[in-house]
Amino acid sequence: MRLNRAFYDLVGASVLWGTIGIAVQEAYRVGANSFGIVLFRTLFSCLILLYGGNRKILLRWESAVMGIITGAFYEIYAFTIILDGAPLSSFLLYTAPLFVILFSFVLFREELSLRKVMGSVIVIVALYFDYLGTPTPVELMWGILSGMSYAALISFSKFLQLRGFSGWDVLSAQSVWSLPLSLVVILPFSRSVSLGSVAGGLYMAVFGTIIPYYLFYRGIKIMDSAIATVISALEPVVTTLLAYPLLGQILTPLQILSAALILASSIWLSVSR
């Protein structure tokens, strides 16, 4: 029963993350810009979580490290999207399960198995069907760095929960301590404040950060880290499926095959537990 709940938590997080691309595009239509959205996402998340979080636990060194890792991931991935474009950055981000397998073995002695490696490779191949290109060495380097930093965030979040942090504590640490780095990087590019950026940032804070990360951390506390990361790869599947009715984008046969492979891999790994 606990594994079933963890699976549903992880799927719920992936579904909410999958709405981000749609919400951001709608925010752009009313004058938002990417830096403004990230700025207000960070500010709103920090304010909400700081109000309801455990302030004592925020002063622990582990909380600061979580914030640094999160801030590094946000900035690396944002730069990767600009450099590589959305399809390639999404594809390389989900090299993360392979790194999670390594990190979780070192930190938690979680099982190294051919099954988990195969599931991770299936996801990477499936996402490549959406890209179908040849990245340059620089694009590849930054994309892999985004996957590594995402894997570090996932692995360290589980490490914190094993040390007594609740999912809400991890969320508070990641939002509060990533704020300084985010402000340093984002503020110079956020000269214009628009209603679209505020609305987009608020949506991202609640439905792209607080609720899905809470579900994800609750799920990964029970589920194997690598398997949880593979399940989270349902995010681009949800985005693709929502883009058809909401944005009028046509699904290609390769996109349908990609979605089917990721879904099959997630179910296979979960059931085989």
Side-chain angles (χ1 to χ4, degrees):
M1 289 297 294
R2 295 181 72 211
L3 282 176
N4 287 339
R5 194 196 75 181
F7 175 76
Y8 294 133
D9 281 343
L10 295 166
V11 170
S14 302
V15 169
L16 287 173
W17 281 328
T19 67
I20 289 176
I22 308 298
V24 167
Q25 289 195 44
E26 291 302 313
Y28 285 163
R29 292 181 183 180
V30 290
N33 62 73
S34 58
F35 290 107
I37 290 175
V38 174
L39 173 64
F40 286 108
R41 173 191 187 177
T42 306
L43 285 174
F44 285 134
S45 298
C46 182
L47 290 173
I48 294 169
L49 291 164
L50 186 59
Y51 176 79
N54 184 337
R55 291 177 178 80
K56 289 184 179 179
I57 212 163
L58 285 174
L59 299 178
R60 290 173 55 171
W61 68 268
E62 298 100 321
S63 297
V65 172
M66 183 65 192
I68 292 170
I69 291 173
T70 303
F73 164 62
Y74 285 167
E75 306 310 332
I76 290 172
Y77 188 49
F79 180 75
T80 302
I81 292 173
I82 294 171
L83 179 68
D84 293 5
L88 177 57
S89 60
S90 177
F91 157 54
L92 292 174
L93 175 66
Y94 282 99
T95 59
L98 294 175
F99 295 111
V100 169
I101 291 171
L102 177 61
F103 295 161
S104 61
F105 173 74
V106 173
L107 289 174
F108 324 120
R109 297 300 175 189
E110 287 185 349
E111 173 193 13
L112 282 173
S113 69
L114 178 62
R115 175 175 53 83
K116 290 196 288 189
V117 173
M118 287 178 60
S120 302
V121 171
I122 289 172
V123 167
I124 294 171
V125 171
L127 288 169
Y128 182 74
F129 288 155
D130 273 341
Y131 172 60
L132 291 178
T134 304
T136 67
V138 174
E139 290 173 339
L140 186 63
M141 179 192 73
W142 279 101
I144 291 175
L145 280 175
S146 71
M148 289 181 66
S149 60
Y150 184 40
L153 182 152
I154 292 168
S155 299
F156 198 73
S157 72
K158 185 159 187 174
F159 171 76
L160 291 185
Q161 292 192 79
L162 293 176
R163 291 178 67 90
F165 280 60
S166 69
W168 194 261
D169 292 333
V170 177
L171 261 172
S172 299
Q174 93 175 37
S175 296
V176 172
W177 285 104
S178 67
L179 181 61
L181 179 60
S182 298
L183 290 177
V184 168
V185 175
I186 295 170
L187 275 178
F189 301 97
S190 301
R191 296 174 183 174
S192 60
V193 176
S194 68
L195 182 60
S197 293
V198 174
L202 181 60
Y203 183 91
M204 289 280 285
V206 177
F207 299 104
T209 303
I210 295 173
I211 297 176
Y213 270 110
Y214 178 77
L215 293 173
F216 182 79
Y217 291 149
R218 192 168 69 174
I220 202 175
K221 186 176 182 179
I222 300 170
M223 186 77 73
D224 180 280
S225 302
I227 294 175
T229 311
V230 169
I231 294 172
S232 72
L234 289 169
E235 172 193 345
V237 174
V238 173
T239 302
T240 300
L241 294 177
L242 287 177
Y244 174 67
L246 297 180
L247 301 179
Q249 296 179 3
I250 304 301
L251 298 179
T252 67
L254 281 178
Q255 286 177 319
I256 296 172
L257 175 61
S258 172
L261 284 173
I262 294 173
L263 182 60
S265 179
S266 300
I267 295 173
W268 171 54
L269 287 176
S270 301
V271 170
S272 61
R273 289 292 291 172

